Amino acid sequence: MKFFIDTANLDEIREAQDLGVLDGVTTNPSLMAKEGITGETNILKHYKDICNIVDDNVSAEVIATEYDKMVAEGKELAKIDDKIVVKIPMIKDGVKAISALTAAGIRTNCTLIFNAGQAILAAKAGASYVSPFIGRLDDISMDGLALIEQIVGIYDNYGFETEVLAASIRHNMHLIQCAEIGADVATCPLSVITGLLKHPLTDSGLEKFLADYKKSNK
C-alpha cells in the first residue's frame, strides 16, 4: 500500500518524508487556504515546493469545472513538475477532461468519488487514481469501507490499471481496514500515519528494556 499525506503543510510533508514511508501528497483548495496560500502564483509555487520534498505523486487540483478550462488548467499544472498528478472532479466534463489528459500522457486523480458507477467511469476514461471519500460517506451513515471493497473487486474483475486511493481517512483503523480490503493507496493526515507507531506495550516494553540495560551496566 502507498501512503500519501493529505496536507499542504510543508513541515508535515517533510516529517512524513523523513520517516521514509511517504509515497505522495494530496492537496486541494481547502488545504491550501488552511495554510494561507492564496493567489495563482503562490499556489503554483507551493506545488513546486511540495514536489521538491517528495519523490513522486503530488495531486494538484484544478479549479475549473468546464471541459476546455479543466484540460488547459491540467496541462499548466502538469508543467510544474513530472511528479504532478492532476486532480479532476467526478463530473461529466471532468470525465472528458481525464480522457483528454490521459491521451496527452498526463496522470490524473479523479476526486469526489462516492459510488462504484463513478469509479467505473473514471477508470474507463483512464484515470491513474480514483479517490473515494470514505469518511464523508461514514458521516452520512453510509459504509465508506464497503465502497472501497466494491471498487477494488470491480477493478480486479476487469484488470483496470486505475489505482484505488482511499481518501477522507479519519483514523488508524480506517487505514488498516483499507489495507485489509486491498486499497492501493491511502491518503490521510500525518497524525494517522504516525498513529500507527503507537502501542502501549511497545512503550512499556522499551521502558523495561532500557531499565534492565541500566541495571546490568552499572
Side-chain angles (χ1 to χ4, degrees):
M1 174 184 261
K2 295 177 185 175
F3 281 7
F4 290 0
I5 186 173
D6 193 36
T7 186
N9 184 289
L10 297 182
D11 289 337
E12 291 182 351
I13 294 168
R14 289 189 190 97
E15 184 176 344
Q17 179 71 8
D18 289 346
L19 193 59
V21 300
L22 190 65
D23 299 292
V25 177
T26 55
T27 60
N28 58 47
S30 298
L31 292 171
M32 284 286 189
K34 183 179 177 182
E35 298 303 318
I37 310 300
T38 59
E40 183 179 353
T41 300
N42 290 332
I43 289 172
L44 295 179
K45 179 184 180 299
H46 201 73
Y47 281 133
K48 183 61 178 178
D49 290 341
I50 293 172
C51 289
N52 289 338
I53 296 171
V54 301
D55 297 328
D56 198 9
N57 297 305
V58 177
S59 283
E61 188 162 348
V62 300
I63 304 301
T65 56
E66 298 173 4
Y67 167 73
D68 290 339
K69 292 180 180 178
M70 277 191 280
V71 172
E73 189 178 346
K75 288 181 177 179
E76 287 304 308
L77 288 171
K79 288 178 183 178
I80 296 171
D81 197 284
D82 291 341
K83 299 171 187 177
I84 292 289
V85 179
V86 178
K87 205 172 179 183
I88 303 283
M90 169 39 71
I91 56 177
K92 184 177 180 180
D93 278 11
V95 173
K96 291 170 61 179
I98 287 168
S99 181
L101 291 169
T102 300
I106 295 170
R107 293 180 294 169
T108 57
N109 174 1
C110 187
T111 189
L112 295 171
I113 297 285
F114 291 100
N115 65 44
Q118 293 175 325
I120 292 170
L121 285 174
K124 290 284 290 181
S128 307
Y129 300 97
V130 293
S131 292
F133 280 48
I134 64 174
R136 294 193 191 184
L137 285 170
D138 289 355
D139 289 344
I140 59 169
S141 301
M142 297 184 70
D143 191 341
L145 288 165
L147 176 60
I148 298 292
E149 187 170 20
Q150 186 180 26
I151 296 171
V152 168
I154 291 169
Y155 283 8
D156 286 347
N157 284 344
Y158 297 101
F160 286 125
E161 294 182 1
T162 302
E163 295 187 53
V164 180
L165 193 167
S168 188
I169 287 178
R170 303 281 173 78
H171 48 73
N172 297 352
M173 284 310 300
H174 261 167
L175 192 153
I176 291 168
Q177 288 166 327
C178 284
E180 290 176 331
I181 291 166
D184 300 290
V185 189
T187 188
C188 54
L190 177 63
S191 60
V192 174
I193 295 175
T194 57
L196 298 177
L197 293 165
K198 299 173 183 176
H199 195 284
L201 293 179
T202 301
D203 296 338
S204 61
L206 180 58
E207 185 178 354
K208 186 177 187 308
F209 293 158
L210 294 175
D212 289 343
Y213 173 80
K214 288 179 181 178
K215 289 177 184 177
S216 62
N217 286 274
K218 285 184 176 180

